Amino acid sequence: MGRLLHRRGWRAAFTVAERVNAWAALVSAVERGYGDDIYEYTNDLYCRSWLHEAWLLLDDYIVQLWTPRIKALDARFKAATVDDDGQALDRFHGLPGPDLWWWRRHPRILTGDLGRSLRSAGAVGSAPDRA
């Protein structure tokens, strides 16, 4: 399945575990305050897009195995982001189809290069907590 998606244009023949782990890492980074720039952020969002596309190709067992983890990560991502219908991200990266909801949200904590870019596009969020 990873090879099929690679032939469809994805840069590598990823495994489901690799993309779920990448989604988990991105969700954790967004929860803390994403430290990279807008271009890395949009690149990182593609791990969730890969999972979305792969789900149509996977057998039922794999879908049942991984769906609870992905749903939990999706819930965490939604809690750590703001839905602005993609207005801020669209200034930097064309938005894919409307069913790819993660492209229509931006981090709630706006920090570093990403925060500056998103604020310049009208995003509203909060600064990271300083302990």
Side-chain angles (χ1 to χ4, degrees):
M1 192 273 312
R3 287 191 289 277
L4 174 61
L5 289 175
H6 179 59
R7 287 194 300 271
R8 289 185 178 183
W10 290 94
R11 68 177 173 85
F14 299 111
T15 66
V16 173
E18 287 171 331
R19 297 295 78 195
V20 170
N21 288 339
W23 182 229
L26 176 58
V27 169
S28 292
V30 167
E31 288 171 332
R32 289 188 311 273
Y34 189 88
D36 223 324
D37 64 27
I38 187 75
Y39 304 104
E40 279 301 311
Y41 180 72
T42 56
N43 184 61
D44 289 347
L45 282 176
Y46 277 103
C47 66
R48 185 60 181 85
S49 296
W50 187 96
L51 289 166
H52 178 79
E53 192 171 330
W55 241 233
L56 304 173
L57 306 172
L58 293 170
D59 65 57
D60 289 344
Y61 173 76
I62 298 296
V63 169
Q64 289 175 5
L65 181 69
W66 286 100
T67 294
R69 176 93 195 276
I70 293 168
K71 283 186 174 185
L73 290 168
D74 288 351
R76 286 175 50 199
F77 185 79
K78 286 177 181 177
T81 57
V82 174
D83 184 350
D84 73 345
D85 199 32
Q87 292 180 39
L89 280 180
D90 193 38
R91 295 268 309 272
F92 303 95
H93 188 287
L95 294 178
D99 55 335
L100 306 181
W101 57 265
W102 50 95
W103 285 97
R104 288 168 167 63
R105 304 183 71 84
H106 66 76
R108 188 172 303 283
I109 298 173
L110 297 177
T111 187
D113 289 340
L114 177 65
R116 282 188 290 281
S117 294
L118 291 174
R119 278 193 180 93
S120 76
V124 176
S126 62
D129 291 336
R130 301 285 184 222

